[in-house]
Amino acid sequence: MCTDCGCGDTELVPVEVHERILAGNDRDAAHNRAHFVEYGVFAVNLMGSPGAGKTALLEATARARPGTRIGGVSGDLATDNDARRLSAAGIRAASITTGTACHLDAKMVHHALHDVALADLDLFFIENVGNLVCPAIYDLGQAVNVVALSVTEGEDKPLKYPVMFKAADLVLLTKCDLLPHLQVDVERIREGLAKVMPEPRLIEIAATTGQGIDEWVAWLEERALASGIRRAG
Ligand SMILES: Nc1nc2c(ncn2[C@@H]2O[C@H](COP(=O)(O)OP(=O)(O)OP(=O)(O)O)[C@@H](O)[C@H]2O)c(=O)[nH]1
Ligand SMILES: [Zn+2]
Ligand SMILES: [Zn+2]
Ligand SMILES: [Zn+2]
């Protein structure tokens, strides 16, 4: 149970206290955003359930674009395993150990940025704590929100966790290499997303085979240029 958000329990964290926390977080997020913009770094908040394949996706992304200067932070309750995996894949990564918190907040990310040379980066991934609920309500200063949803999680997840998918600029359907072995109707997932995402967008990927990675990287490049944060060339 997270002591900041109380995971929506208003007895544990009263509404007015939670609103004050979120307002403070928004100020810290604006500060982070100013850092990213200053250095022309396109920042991505990558969210999704535990084990959805977030770290594997980032490893595959780094492998697919060895020339892109990628940095990142990985949020985890108790280990720095993911940051070590990202570093091994060539991403300049730091770890954020959140202890009891089930989401990252902007202050944690700002603290981690002290260890990152933003001037040397083009792209920055914030791998959030595996959780489909509260990460969506904490702005971190990112340019875009991306949600990893794996094919093994069930077709109904967009409708069951609408807050997460409503905040998403893109959903990556991960582990698509497993589809032949499962009874999953991707069309039902698309229908669910169409009901909750303001601008529905889904890319089917598999970190294991590289399926969809080029399309995902092209989406990132397009959004980075459109944002004006990254300059062409
Ligand atoms: N078949 C298949 N397995 C995958 C794929 N991507 C990840 N996995 C497996 O899924 C498991 C979880 O992957 P991670 O990348 O650690 O997932 P994560 O979302 O970073 O996990 P947390 O950070 O703990 O929330 C691992 O056993 C991976 O090998 C994929 O594209 N295909
Ligand atoms: Zn600062
Ligand atoms: Zn991970
Ligand atoms: Zn939380």
Side-chain angles (χ1 to χ4, degrees), residues 105-157:
D105 67 27
K107 204 183 272 304
M108 296 177 201
V109 172
H110 184 258
H111 186 72
L113 288 180
H114 287 159
D115 299 326
V116 176
L118 284 180
D120 299 335
L121 299 178
D122 305 311
L123 195 53
F124 192 79
F125 290 111
I126 303 164
E127 183 187 340
N128 220 308
V129 179
N131 179 349
L132 270 187
V133 188
C134 33
I137 60 172
Y138 287 83
D139 184 8
L140 304 177
Q142 72 280 359
V144 286
N145 282 327
V146 176
V147 178
L149 171 69
S150 66
V151 292
T152 52
E153 287 175 62
E155 297 141 336
D156 57 352
K157 290 303 163 292

mmCIF file of all heavy atoms in Angstrom, residues 105-157:
data_model
loop_
_atom_site.group_PDB
_atom_site.id
_atom_site.type_symbol
_atom_site.label_atom_id
_atom_site.label_comp_id
_atom_site.label_asym_id
_atom_site.label_seq_id
_atom_site.Cartn_x
_atom_site.Cartn_y
_atom_site.Cartn_z
ATOM 1 N N ASP A 105 6.932 9.490 -8.688
ATOM 2 C CA ASP A 105 6.455 10.870 -8.734
ATOM 3 C C ASP A 105 7.569 11.746 -9.292
ATOM 4 O O ASP A 105 8.706 11.304 -9.495
ATOM 5 C CB ASP A 105 5.926 11.338 -7.366
ATOM 6 C CG ASP A 105 7.001 11.446 -6.300
ATOM 7 O OD1 ASP A 105 8.180 11.661 -6.644
ATOM 8 O OD2 ASP A 105 6.650 11.326 -5.109
ATOM 9 N N ALA A 106 7.211 13.011 -9.560
ATOM 10 C CA ALA A 106 8.139 13.888 -10.270
ATOM 11 C C ALA A 106 9.390 14.189 -9.449
ATOM 12 O O ALA A 106 10.482 14.353 -9.997
ATOM 13 C CB ALA A 106 7.417 15.183 -10.639
ATOM 14 N N LYS A 107 9.230 14.214 -8.124
ATOM 15 C CA LYS A 107 10.402 14.497 -7.275
ATOM 16 C C LYS A 107 11.428 13.354 -7.358
ATOM 17 O O LYS A 107 12.625 13.591 -7.424
ATOM 18 C CB LYS A 107 9.933 14.692 -5.818
ATOM 19 C CG LYS A 107 10.890 15.532 -4.992
ATOM 20 C CD LYS A 107 10.447 15.653 -3.546
ATOM 21 C CE LYS A 107 9.519 16.796 -3.234
ATOM 22 N NZ LYS A 107 9.983 18.122 -3.582
ATOM 23 N N MET A 108 10.939 12.124 -7.360
ATOM 24 C CA MET A 108 11.859 10.982 -7.478
ATOM 25 C C MET A 108 12.622 11.059 -8.801
ATOM 26 O O MET A 108 13.812 10.775 -8.863
ATOM 27 C CB MET A 108 11.079 9.655 -7.471
ATOM 28 C CG MET A 108 10.323 9.332 -6.199
ATOM 29 S SD MET A 108 9.413 7.768 -6.508
ATOM 30 C CE MET A 108 8.150 7.865 -5.262
ATOM 31 N N VAL A 109 11.888 11.420 -9.874
ATOM 32 C CA VAL A 109 12.540 11.486 -11.189
ATOM 33 C C VAL A 109 13.557 12.628 -11.198
ATOM 34 O O VAL A 109 14.682 12.470 -11.687
ATOM 35 C CB VAL A 109 11.492 11.667 -12.312
ATOM 36 C CG1 VAL A 109 12.160 11.931 -13.653
ATOM 37 C CG2 VAL A 109 10.602 10.427 -12.392
ATOM 38 N N HIS A 110 13.206 13.763 -10.596
ATOM 39 C CA HIS A 110 14.138 14.889 -10.561
ATOM 40 C C HIS A 110 15.416 14.507 -9.832
ATOM 41 O O HIS A 110 16.528 14.813 -10.275
ATOM 42 C CB HIS A 110 13.488 16.113 -9.895
ATOM 43 C CG HIS A 110 14.377 17.309 -9.933
ATOM 44 N ND1 HIS A 110 15.101 17.737 -8.855
ATOM 45 C CD2 HIS A 110 14.687 18.142 -10.957
ATOM 46 C CE1 HIS A 110 15.813 18.804 -9.196
ATOM 47 N NE2 HIS A 110 15.578 19.076 -10.467
ATOM 48 N N HIS A 111 15.252 13.803 -8.731
ATOM 49 C CA HIS A 111 16.411 13.373 -7.954
ATOM 50 C C HIS A 111 17.320 12.480 -8.816
ATOM 51 O O HIS A 111 18.539 12.644 -8.836
ATOM 52 C CB HIS A 111 15.924 12.627 -6.708
ATOM 53 C CG HIS A 111 17.027 12.275 -5.770
ATOM 54 N ND1 HIS A 111 17.680 13.204 -5.005
ATOM 55 C CD2 HIS A 111 17.612 11.081 -5.505
ATOM 56 C CE1 HIS A 111 18.622 12.610 -4.297
ATOM 57 N NE2 HIS A 111 18.593 11.310 -4.573
ATOM 58 N N ALA A 112 16.693 11.566 -9.561
ATOM 59 C CA ALA A 112 17.471 10.647 -10.409
ATOM 60 C C ALA A 112 18.160 11.401 -11.549
ATOM 61 O O ALA A 112 19.236 10.997 -12.015
ATOM 62 C CB ALA A 112 16.562 9.564 -10.967
ATOM 63 N N LEU A 113 17.561 12.499 -11.992
ATOM 64 C CA LEU A 113 18.152 13.254 -13.109
ATOM 65 C C LEU A 113 19.512 13.836 -12.737
ATOM 66 O O LEU A 113 20.309 14.152 -13.615
ATOM 67 C CB LEU A 113 17.206 14.376 -13.570
ATOM 68 C CG LEU A 113 15.948 13.936 -14.323
ATOM 69 C CD1 LEU A 113 15.103 15.141 -14.712
ATOM 70 C CD2 LEU A 113 16.306 13.114 -15.554
ATOM 71 N N HIS A 114 19.778 13.978 -11.429
ATOM 72 C CA HIS A 114 21.096 14.468 -11.000
ATOM 73 C C HIS A 114 22.210 13.576 -11.515
ATOM 74 O O HIS A 114 23.336 14.013 -11.702
ATOM 75 C CB HIS A 114 21.180 14.516 -9.462
ATOM 76 C CG HIS A 114 20.390 15.618 -8.875
ATOM 77 N ND1 HIS A 114 19.957 15.640 -7.575
ATOM 78 C CD2 HIS A 114 19.942 16.761 -9.420
ATOM 79 C CE1 HIS A 114 19.280 16.731 -7.343
ATOM 80 N NE2 HIS A 114 19.246 17.433 -8.450
ATOM 81 N N ASP A 115 21.881 12.286 -11.693
ATOM 82 C CA ASP A 115 22.914 11.329 -12.113
ATOM 83 C C ASP A 115 22.954 11.130 -13.627
ATOM 84 O O ASP A 115 23.611 10.220 -14.118
ATOM 85 C CB ASP A 115 22.648 9.957 -11.455
ATOM 86 C CG ASP A 115 22.699 10.043 -9.944
ATOM 87 O OD1 ASP A 115 23.505 10.847 -9.443
ATOM 88 O OD2 ASP A 115 21.923 9.325 -9.278
ATOM 89 N N VAL A 116 22.219 11.955 -14.361
ATOM 90 C CA VAL A 116 22.086 11.737 -15.801
ATOM 91 C C VAL A 116 22.583 12.980 -16.549
ATOM 92 O O VAL A 116 22.187 14.094 -16.210
ATOM 93 C CB VAL A 116 20.597 11.502 -16.159
ATOM 94 C CG1 VAL A 116 20.422 11.362 -17.655
ATOM 95 C CG2 VAL A 116 20.054 10.269 -15.440
ATOM 96 N N ALA A 117 23.450 12.770 -17.545
ATOM 97 C CA ALA A 117 23.926 13.904 -18.352
ATOM 98 C C ALA A 117 22.948 14.111 -19.512
ATOM 99 O O ALA A 117 23.112 13.544 -20.592
ATOM 100 C CB ALA A 117 25.327 13.616 -18.866
ATOM 101 N N LEU A 118 21.915 14.920 -19.267
ATOM 102 C CA LEU A 118 20.874 15.111 -20.290
ATOM 103 C C LEU A 118 21.442 15.683 -21.582
ATOM 104 O O LEU A 118 20.941 15.405 -22.669
ATOM 105 C CB LEU A 118 19.775 16.037 -19.756
ATOM 106 C CG LEU A 118 18.788 15.435 -18.748
ATOM 107 C CD1 LEU A 118 17.765 16.480 -18.325
ATOM 108 C CD2 LEU A 118 18.082 14.216 -19.327
ATOM 109 N N ALA A 119 22.509 16.471 -21.470
ATOM 110 C CA ALA A 119 23.089 17.108 -22.660
ATOM 111 C C ALA A 119 23.583 16.063 -23.669
ATOM 112 O O ALA A 119 23.694 16.357 -24.855
ATOM 113 C CB ALA A 119 24.237 18.020 -22.247
ATOM 114 N N ASP A 120 23.853 14.853 -23.191
ATOM 115 C CA ASP A 120 24.390 13.810 -24.076
ATOM 116 C C ASP A 120 23.308 12.864 -24.601
ATOM 117 O O ASP A 120 23.623 11.791 -25.116
ATOM 118 C CB ASP A 120 25.428 12.959 -23.321
ATOM 119 C CG ASP A 120 26.599 13.804 -22.857
ATOM 120 O OD1 ASP A 120 26.853 14.849 -23.494
ATOM 121 O OD2 ASP A 120 27.231 13.430 -21.855
ATOM 122 N N LEU A 121 22.036 13.216 -24.410
ATOM 123 C CA LEU A 121 20.952 12.282 -24.763
ATOM 124 C C LEU A 121 19.983 12.867 -25.786
ATOM 125 O O LEU A 121 19.811 14.088 -25.877
ATOM 126 C CB LEU A 121 20.151 11.921 -23.502
ATOM 127 C CG LEU A 121 20.914 11.220 -22.374
ATOM 128 C CD1 LEU A 121 19.971 10.993 -21.204
ATOM 129 C CD2 LEU A 121 21.506 9.905 -22.860
ATOM 130 N N ASP A 122 19.345 11.941 -26.542
ATOM 131 C CA ASP A 122 18.261 12.327 -27.450
ATOM 132 C C ASP A 122 16.910 11.905 -26.885
ATOM 133 O O ASP A 122 15.900 12.560 -27.086
ATOM 134 C CB ASP A 122 18.426 11.610 -28.803
ATOM 135 C CG ASP A 122 19.792 11.865 -29.413
ATOM 136 O OD1 ASP A 122 20.196 13.042 -29.475
ATOM 137 O OD2 ASP A 122 20.459 10.882 -29.798
ATOM 138 N N LEU A 123 16.931 10.783 -26.199
ATOM 139 C CA LEU A 123 15.694 10.127 -25.788
ATOM 140 C C LEU A 123 15.847 9.674 -24.340
ATOM 141 O O LEU A 123 16.921 9.231 -23.945
ATOM 142 C CB LEU A 123 15.546 8.899 -26.705
ATOM 143 C CG LEU A 123 14.258 8.150 -26.841
ATOM 144 C CD1 LEU A 123 13.113 9.085 -27.206
ATOM 145 C CD2 LEU A 123 14.415 7.087 -27.954
ATOM 146 N N PHE A 124 14.758 9.828 -23.565
ATOM 147 C CA PHE A 124 14.844 9.440 -22.161
ATOM 148 C C PHE A 124 13.603 8.640 -21.790
ATOM 149 O O PHE A 124 12.481 9.135 -21.929
ATOM 150 C CB PHE A 124 14.950 10.689 -21.289
ATOM 151 C CG PHE A 124 15.333 10.386 -19.872
ATOM 152 C CD1 PHE A 124 16.653 10.118 -19.535
ATOM 153 C CD2 PHE A 124 14.381 10.362 -18.868
ATOM 154 C CE1 PHE A 124 17.020 9.830 -18.224
ATOM 155 C CE2 PHE A 124 14.734 10.073 -17.551
ATOM 156 C CZ PHE A 124 16.060 9.811 -17.235
ATOM 157 N N PHE A 125 13.806 7.419 -21.333
ATOM 158 C CA PHE A 125 12.679 6.583 -20.932
ATOM 159 C C PHE A 125 12.570 6.545 -19.414
ATOM 160 O O PHE A 125 13.563 6.299 -18.721
ATOM 161 C CB PHE A 125 12.860 5.146 -21.434
ATOM 162 C CG PHE A 125 12.716 5.002 -22.913
ATOM 163 C CD1 PHE A 125 13.814 4.690 -23.707
ATOM 164 C CD2 PHE A 125 11.491 5.186 -23.523
ATOM 165 C CE1 PHE A 125 13.674 4.555 -25.084
ATOM 166 C CE2 PHE A 125 11.336 5.055 -24.903
ATOM 167 C CZ PHE A 125 12.438 4.743 -25.684
ATOM 168 N N ILE A 126 11.367 6.773 -18.938
ATOM 169 C CA ILE A 126 11.092 6.615 -17.514
ATOM 170 C C ILE A 126 10.252 5.349 -17.393
ATOM 171 O O ILE A 126 9.064 5.346 -17.746
ATOM 172 C CB ILE A 126 10.313 7.829 -16.965
ATOM 173 C CG1 ILE A 126 11.084 9.131 -17.228
ATOM 174 C CG2 ILE A 126 10.045 7.639 -15.471
ATOM 175 C CD1 ILE A 126 10.244 10.399 -17.068
ATOM 176 N N GLU A 127 10.877 4.256 -16.972
ATOM 177 C CA GLU A 127 10.110 3.016 -16.797
ATOM 178 C C GLU A 127 9.451 3.082 -15.427
ATOM 179 O O GLU A 127 10.107 3.017 -14.394
ATOM 180 C CB GLU A 127 10.999 1.769 -16.891
ATOM 181 C CG GLU A 127 10.128 0.517 -16.765
ATOM 182 C CD GLU A 127 10.887 -0.804 -16.677
ATOM 183 O OE1 GLU A 127 12.050 -0.880 -17.065
ATOM 184 O OE2 GLU A 127 10.258 -1.774 -16.191
ATOM 185 N N ASN A 128 8.144 3.241 -15.429
ATOM 186 C CA ASN A 128 7.413 3.409 -14.176
ATOM 187 C C ASN A 128 7.301 2.079 -13.426
ATOM 188 O O ASN A 128 7.600 1.015 -13.969
ATOM 189 C CB ASN A 128 6.017 3.987 -14.481
ATOM 190 C CG ASN A 128 5.604 5.021 -13.458
ATOM 191 O OD1 ASN A 128 5.653 4.757 -12.262
ATOM 192 N ND2 ASN A 128 5.206 6.194 -13.915
ATOM 193 N N VAL A 129 6.865 2.158 -12.186
ATOM 194 C CA VAL A 129 6.624 0.953 -11.394
ATOM 195 C C VAL A 129 5.494 0.153 -12.068
ATOM 196 O O VAL A 129 4.524 0.737 -12.539
ATOM 197 C CB VAL A 129 6.196 1.338 -9.960
ATOM 198 C CG1 VAL A 129 5.911 0.104 -9.113
ATOM 199 C CG2 VAL A 129 7.263 2.205 -9.299
ATOM 200 N N GLY A 130 5.652 -1.153 -12.128
ATOM 201 C CA GLY A 130 4.623 -1.996 -12.738
ATOM 202 C C GLY A 130 3.311 -1.894 -11.977
ATOM 203 O O GLY A 130 3.217 -2.340 -10.829
ATOM 204 N N ASN A 131 2.307 -1.277 -12.605
ATOM 205 C CA ASN A 131 1.044 -0.978 -11.918
ATOM 206 C C ASN A 131 0.133 -0.296 -12.944
ATOM 207 O O ASN A 131 0.562 0.644 -13.605
ATOM 208 C CB ASN A 131 1.369 -0.016 -10.749
ATOM 209 C CG ASN A 131 0.164 0.411 -9.946
ATOM 210 O OD1 ASN A 131 -0.973 0.181 -10.321
ATOM 211 N ND2 ASN A 131 0.428 1.072 -8.827
ATOM 212 N N LEU A 132 -1.099 -0.753 -13.063
ATOM 213 C CA LEU A 132 -2.000 -0.151 -14.068
ATOM 214 C C LEU A 132 -2.880 0.941 -13.468
ATOM 215 O O LEU A 132 -3.825 1.382 -14.117
ATOM 216 C CB LEU A 132 -2.903 -1.225 -14.680
ATOM 217 C CG LEU A 132 -2.422 -1.959 -15.928
ATOM 218 C CD1 LEU A 132 -3.528 -2.851 -16.479
ATOM 219 C CD2 LEU A 132 -1.933 -1.022 -17.008
ATOM 220 N N VAL A 133 -2.611 1.349 -12.223
ATOM 221 C CA VAL A 133 -3.508 2.321 -11.592
ATOM 222 C C VAL A 133 -2.816 3.670 -11.371
ATOM 223 O O VAL A 133 -2.838 4.538 -12.242
ATOM 224 C CB VAL A 133 -4.096 1.767 -10.277
ATOM 225 C CG1 VAL A 133 -5.159 2.692 -9.731
ATOM 226 C CG2 VAL A 133 -4.706 0.384 -10.511
ATOM 227 N N CYS A 134 -2.171 3.861 -10.213
ATOM 228 C CA CYS A 134 -1.758 5.239 -9.867
ATOM 229 C C CYS A 134 -0.641 5.865 -10.695
ATOM 230 O O CYS A 134 -0.581 7.094 -10.738
ATOM 231 C CB CYS A 134 -1.502 5.409 -8.382
ATOM 232 S SG CYS A 134 -0.867 4.001 -7.563
ATOM 233 N N PRO A 135 0.248 5.123 -11.370
ATOM 234 C CA PRO A 135 1.233 5.859 -12.173
ATOM 235 C C PRO A 135 0.585 6.851 -13.144
ATOM 236 O O PRO A 135 1.156 7.896 -13.447
ATOM 237 C CB PRO A 135 1.975 4.741 -12.924
ATOM 238 C CG PRO A 135 1.918 3.587 -11.998
ATOM 239 C CD PRO A 135 0.531 3.670 -11.380
ATOM 240 N N ALA A 136 -0.632 6.544 -13.575
ATOM 241 C CA ALA A 136 -1.285 7.404 -14.582
ATOM 242 C C ALA A 136 -1.627 8.795 -14.060
ATOM 243 O O ALA A 136 -1.806 9.720 -14.844
ATOM 244 C CB ALA A 136 -2.563 6.727 -15.078
ATOM 245 N N ILE A 137 -1.718 8.952 -12.743
ATOM 246 C CA ILE A 137 -2.156 10.263 -12.246
ATOM 247 C C ILE A 137 -0.997 11.156 -11.796
ATOM 248 O O ILE A 137 -1.209 12.285 -11.401
ATOM 249 C CB ILE A 137 -3.203 10.140 -11.116
ATOM 250 C CG1 ILE A 137 -2.624 9.378 -9.923
ATOM 251 C CG2 ILE A 137 -4.489 9.514 -11.628
ATOM 252 C CD1 ILE A 137 -3.549 9.390 -8.716
ATOM 253 N N TYR A 138 0.234 10.658 -11.880
ATOM 254 C CA TYR A 138 1.396 11.474 -11.502
ATOM 255 C C TYR A 138 2.169 11.913 -12.741
ATOM 256 O O TYR A 138 2.824 11.104 -13.396
ATOM 257 C CB TYR A 138 2.328 10.686 -10.562
ATOM 258 C CG TYR A 138 1.754 10.527 -9.177
ATOM 259 C CD1 TYR A 138 0.838 9.521 -8.896
ATOM 260 C CD2 TYR A 138 2.094 11.411 -8.161
ATOM 261 C CE1 TYR A 138 0.283 9.383 -7.638
ATOM 262 C CE2 TYR A 138 1.540 11.283 -6.893
ATOM 263 C CZ TYR A 138 0.641 10.277 -6.647
ATOM 264 O OH TYR A 138 0.087 10.152 -5.395
ATOM 265 N N ASP A 139 2.058 13.202 -13.074
ATOM 266 C CA ASP A 139 2.844 13.750 -14.173
ATOM 267 C C ASP A 139 4.311 13.740 -13.752
ATOM 268 O O ASP A 139 4.630 14.109 -12.612
ATOM 269 C CB ASP A 139 2.367 15.186 -14.433
ATOM 270 C CG ASP A 139 3.042 15.820 -15.629
ATOM 271 O OD1 ASP A 139 3.772 15.114 -16.357
ATOM 272 O OD2 ASP A 139 2.827 17.032 -15.843
ATOM 273 N N LEU A 140 5.183 13.317 -14.665
ATOM 274 C CA LEU A 140 6.617 13.255 -14.331
ATOM 275 C C LEU A 140 7.428 14.281 -15.120
ATOM 276 O O LEU A 140 8.640 14.385 -14.943
ATOM 277 C CB LEU A 140 7.155 11.845 -14.609
ATOM 278 C CG LEU A 140 6.418 10.702 -13.887
ATOM 279 C CD1 LEU A 140 6.983 9.348 -14.301
ATOM 280 C CD2 LEU A 140 6.485 10.881 -12.373
ATOM 281 N N GLY A 141 6.755 14.983 -16.036
ATOM 282 C CA GLY A 141 7.461 15.932 -16.900
ATOM 283 C C GLY A 141 7.731 15.350 -18.282
ATOM 284 O O GLY A 141 8.450 15.931 -19.092
ATOM 285 N N GLN A 142 7.158 14.180 -18.546
ATOM 286 C CA GLN A 142 7.353 13.505 -19.827
ATOM 287 C C GLN A 142 6.647 14.242 -20.963
ATOM 288 O O GLN A 142 5.733 15.023 -20.727
ATOM 289 C CB GLN A 142 6.803 12.069 -19.756
ATOM 290 C CG GLN A 142 5.282 11.949 -19.730
ATOM 291 C CD GLN A 142 4.676 12.196 -18.351
ATOM 292 O OE1 GLN A 142 5.383 12.446 -17.390
ATOM 293 N NE2 GLN A 142 3.351 12.142 -18.254
ATOM 294 N N ALA A 143 7.090 13.934 -22.191
ATOM 295 C CA ALA A 143 6.400 14.476 -23.371
ATOM 296 C C ALA A 143 5.215 13.587 -23.754
ATOM 297 O O ALA A 143 4.198 14.079 -24.229
ATOM 298 C CB ALA A 143 7.376 14.579 -24.543
ATOM 299 N N VAL A 144 5.377 12.280 -23.562
ATOM 300 C CA VAL A 144 4.293 11.352 -23.924
ATOM 301 C C VAL A 144 4.178 10.214 -22.906
ATOM 302 O O VAL A 144 5.157 9.848 -22.252
ATOM 303 C CB VAL A 144 4.502 10.711 -25.326
ATOM 304 C CG1 VAL A 144 4.220 11.694 -26.441
ATOM 305 C CG2 VAL A 144 5.890 10.101 -25.463
ATOM 306 N N ASN A 145 2.970 9.676 -22.824
ATOM 307 C CA ASN A 145 2.696 8.481 -22.016
ATOM 308 C C ASN A 145 2.531 7.282 -22.935
ATOM 309 O O ASN A 145 1.729 7.338 -23.879
ATOM 310 C CB ASN A 145 1.376 8.640 -21.252
ATOM 311 C CG ASN A 145 1.518 9.510 -20.027
ATOM 312 O OD1 ASN A 145 2.556 9.524 -19.376
ATOM 313 N ND2 ASN A 145 0.466 10.257 -19.718
ATOM 314 N N VAL A 146 3.251 6.223 -22.640
ATOM 315 C CA VAL A 146 3.116 4.989 -23.419
ATOM 316 C C VAL A 146 2.780 3.865 -22.441
ATOM 317 O O VAL A 146 3.392 3.767 -21.371
ATOM 318 C CB VAL A 146 4.426 4.675 -24.175
ATOM 319 C CG1 VAL A 146 4.327 3.344 -24.903
ATOM 320 C CG2 VAL A 146 4.748 5.797 -25.162
ATOM 321 N N VAL A 147 1.789 3.048 -22.796
ATOM 322 C CA VAL A 147 1.399 1.936 -21.932
ATOM 323 C C VAL A 147 1.719 0.620 -22.630
ATOM 324 O O VAL A 147 1.326 0.407 -23.783
ATOM 325 C CB VAL A 147 -0.102 1.998 -21.575
ATOM 326 C CG1 VAL A 147 -0.497 0.794 -20.710
ATOM 327 C CG2 VAL A 147 -0.432 3.289 -20.849
ATOM 328 N N ALA A 148 2.463 -0.247 -21.927
ATOM 329 C CA ALA A 148 2.717 -1.593 -22.428
ATOM 330 C C ALA A 148 1.633 -2.510 -21.867
ATOM 331 O O ALA A 148 1.428 -2.575 -20.656
ATOM 332 C CB ALA A 148 4.098 -2.064 -21.971
ATOM 333 N N LEU A 149 0.935 -3.184 -22.763
ATOM 334 C CA LEU A 149 -0.119 -4.125 -22.369
ATOM 335 C C LEU A 149 0.211 -5.449 -23.042
ATOM 336 O O LEU A 149 0.295 -5.511 -24.269
ATOM 337 C CB LEU A 149 -1.479 -3.601 -22.849
ATOM 338 C CG LEU A 149 -2.662 -4.551 -22.721
ATOM 339 C CD1 LEU A 149 -3.026 -4.775 -21.259
ATOM 340 C CD2 LEU A 149 -3.882 -3.994 -23.471
ATOM 341 N N SER A 150 0.401 -6.498 -22.244
ATOM 342 C CA SER A 150 0.809 -7.749 -22.885
ATOM 343 C C SER A 150 -0.406 -8.589 -23.261
ATOM 344 O O SER A 150 -1.475 -8.463 -22.647
ATOM 345 C CB SER A 150 1.757 -8.546 -21.977
ATOM 346 O OG SER A 150 1.085 -8.978 -20.824
ATOM 347 N N VAL A 151 -0.217 -9.427 -24.275
ATOM 348 C CA VAL A 151 -1.334 -10.230 -24.794
ATOM 349 C C VAL A 151 -1.857 -11.230 -23.773
ATOM 350 O O VAL A 151 -2.959 -11.741 -23.922
ATOM 351 C CB VAL A 151 -0.938 -10.976 -26.088
ATOM 352 C CG1 VAL A 151 -0.722 -10.013 -27.226
ATOM 353 C CG2 VAL A 151 0.296 -11.844 -25.863
ATOM 354 N N THR A 152 -1.070 -11.472 -22.724
ATOM 355 C CA THR A 152 -1.506 -12.446 -21.720
ATOM 356 C C THR A 152 -2.357 -11.826 -20.614
ATOM 357 O O THR A 152 -2.814 -12.526 -19.711
ATOM 358 C CB THR A 152 -0.270 -13.097 -21.053
ATOM 359 O OG1 THR A 152 0.585 -12.048 -20.608
ATOM 360 C CG2 THR A 152 0.472 -13.990 -21.997
ATOM 361 N N GLU A 153 -2.575 -10.499 -20.662
ATOM 362 C CA GLU A 153 -3.269 -9.841 -19.537
ATOM 363 C C GLU A 153 -4.792 -9.871 -19.637
ATOM 364 O O GLU A 153 -5.470 -9.555 -18.658
ATOM 365 C CB GLU A 153 -2.799 -8.384 -19.423
ATOM 366 C CG GLU A 153 -1.392 -8.277 -18.883
ATOM 367 C CD GLU A 153 -0.876 -6.852 -18.869
ATOM 368 O OE1 GLU A 153 -1.466 -6.010 -18.175
ATOM 369 O OE2 GLU A 153 0.099 -6.567 -19.577
ATOM 370 N N GLY A 154 -5.302 -10.163 -20.822
ATOM 371 C CA GLY A 154 -6.760 -10.207 -20.976
ATOM 372 C C GLY A 154 -7.261 -9.034 -21.792
ATOM 373 O O GLY A 154 -6.780 -7.907 -21.646
ATOM 374 N N GLU A 155 -8.258 -9.326 -22.622
ATOM 375 C CA GLU A 155 -8.757 -8.326 -23.575
ATOM 376 C C GLU A 155 -9.499 -7.180 -22.910
ATOM 377 O O GLU A 155 -9.701 -6.131 -23.502
ATOM 378 C CB GLU A 155 -9.714 -9.018 -24.561
ATOM 379 C CG GLU A 155 -9.050 -10.070 -25.410
ATOM 380 C CD GLU A 155 -9.949 -11.281 -25.622
ATOM 381 O OE1 GLU A 155 -10.853 -11.519 -24.796
ATOM 382 O OE2 GLU A 155 -9.731 -11.986 -26.620
ATOM 383 N N ASP A 156 -9.930 -7.406 -21.657
ATOM 384 C CA ASP A 156 -10.787 -6.407 -21.005
ATOM 385 C C ASP A 156 -10.026 -5.317 -20.260
ATOM 386 O O ASP A 156 -10.618 -4.429 -19.666
ATOM 387 C CB ASP A 156 -11.728 -7.118 -20.015
ATOM 388 C CG ASP A 156 -10.959 -7.940 -18.977
ATOM 389 O OD1 ASP A 156 -9.717 -8.074 -19.111
ATOM 390 O OD2 ASP A 156 -11.596 -8.453 -18.041
ATOM 391 N N LYS A 157 -8.692 -5.370 -20.252
ATOM 392 C CA LYS A 157 -7.933 -4.432 -19.422
ATOM 393 C C LYS A 157 -8.199 -2.951 -19.733
ATOM 394 O O LYS A 157 -8.327 -2.145 -18.806
ATOM 395 C CB LYS A 157 -6.422 -4.729 -19.485
ATOM 396 C CG LYS A 157 -6.046 -6.012 -18.780
ATOM 397 C CD LYS A 157 -6.489 -6.016 -17.326
ATOM 398 C CE LYS A 157 -6.492 -7.403 -16.730
ATOM 399 N NZ LYS A 157 -7.500 -8.332 -17.273
#
